[in-house]
Amino acid sequence: MSMEETGVNLSSWNGASRPQRIVLDGVYARLEPLDPACHARDLFDVTQEAGAEERHRYLVDAVPLHEADFVRWTEGAAASDDPLFFAVIDKATRRAEGRQALMRIDPKHGVIEIGSILWGPAIARTRVTTEAFYLAASYIFDTLGYRRFEWKCDSRNVPSKNSATRFGFTFEGLFRDHMIIRGENRDTAWFSITRPEWPRLSAALTTWLDPSNFDAAGRQVRRLEECRT
């Protein structure tokens, strides 16, 4: 329970709704339910681009060696309800340039996590990925009624921790010896956004994503952190 909800009577709480396989459409990005027939080829290409080992370093799945193996992975991922995978479409190119998932879904308590994120080099650190995050967060808070949105990552994953902070997540602590990933121990850094915090963060994201916040070359005028203040 967040500090804002401490002491609030939640006796009328009836839970949140489960996320569905629907398209979430934005200005720069579109989230589509993962479909091997539509997305596997593009996403395999993303996994093979320069820097692939580093992008996969903290993921459960390693860089795929063969496209056929990757297609089988996407078939299993697409059939899963938790994690519920989405392809991240760059609307400028109409290509799937990344993926992300809603996971550890707990409608009873209104808690859900964004994870298994792989944003390829074509969209990393661009408006596309920020909007991909925003579309997911708005869906779970504004449409489905969740109370808590979580972000977790390996404590060594500095880019992921920086992204969580940039998006407005609050660091909650370190879970030591939390998991074993591909033969290595993982200390997990936990972050969250709670429902009372979302309206302010949503307004900042909306302001940052507005086309007027970018020049003709696509460079931001104001940083997201500035929009929150």
Side-chain angles (χ1 to χ4, degrees):
M1 184 177 294
S2 67
M3 292 180 63
E4 292 84 352
E5 289 193 345
T6 300
V8 173
N9 187 342
L10 295 174
S11 59
S12 61
W13 167 258
N14 293 316
S17 301
R18 292 195 67 86
Q20 303 297 310
R21 288 182 170 85
I22 63 171
V23 173
L24 301 173
D25 200 23
V27 177
Y28 317 106
R30 184 170 63 251
L31 299 183
E32 296 179 356
L34 183 62
D35 181 345
C38 297
H39 307 130
R41 173 59 65 85
D42 286 350
L43 292 177
F44 178 73
D45 290 344
V46 169
T47 69
Q48 304 302 300
E49 295 190 43
E53 286 289 348
E54 184 61 27
R55 283 192 298 277
H56 284 78
R57 181 180 177 189
Y58 300 110
L59 291 175
V60 174
D61 47 305
V63 179
L65 300 179
H66 306 288
E67 185 171 357
D69 294 335
F70 182 75
V71 170
R72 283 191 289 272
W73 180 89
T74 62
E75 290 170 347
S80 169
D81 293 321
D82 186 356
L84 182 62
F85 280 91
F86 292 83
V88 180
I89 309 299
D90 181 349
K91 294 184 69 171
T93 63
R94 301 182 181 180
R95 287 176 51 86
E97 297 287 0
R99 72 167 202 237
Q100 60 192 54
L102 296 173
M103 57 197 300
R104 303 187 187 278
I105 301 166
D106 186 352
K108 178 180 178 181
H109 297 289
V111 179
I112 196 168
E113 176 184 345
I114 184 171
S116 195
I117 296 171
L118 179 62
W119 291 332
I123 60 173
R125 296 178 295 280
T126 71
R127 291 175 286 186
V128 175
T129 51
T130 296
E131 189 170 51
F133 164 76
Y134 171 75
L135 290 171
S138 179
Y139 180 49
I140 70 103
F141 279 121
D142 301 329
T143 302
L144 302 181
Y146 280 77
R147 303 172 56 242
R148 173 180 169 88
F149 199 25
E150 296 180 337
W151 178 294
K152 304 186 184 84
C153 64
D154 192 301
S155 64
R156 299 169 297 176
N157 190 345
V158 174
S160 183
K161 292 193 290 186
N162 288 343
S163 292
T165 300
R166 176 178 176 270
F167 290 143
F169 284 86
T170 296
F171 175 66
E172 295 184 326
L174 186 68
F175 279 44
R176 298 176 300 164
D177 296 346
H178 178 229
M179 302 175 71
I180 299 173
I181 303 295
R182 288 194 271 155
E184 292 188 354
N185 175 66
R186 178 174 125 166
D187 296 337
T188 300
W190 286 50
F191 299 81
S192 74
I193 295 171
T194 60
R195 183 172 57 189
E197 297 165 340
W198 174 242
R200 179 178 67 90
L201 298 177
S202 176
L205 284 158
T206 301
T207 298
W208 188 86
L209 287 165
D210 191 281
S212 66
N213 190 46
F214 299 91
D215 64 19
R219 294 183 293 259
Q220 64 182 353
V221 177
R222 298 175 64 197
R223 297 166 63 242
L224 180 55
E225 295 85 346
E226 295 174 36
C227 294
R228 287 203 292 271
T229 60

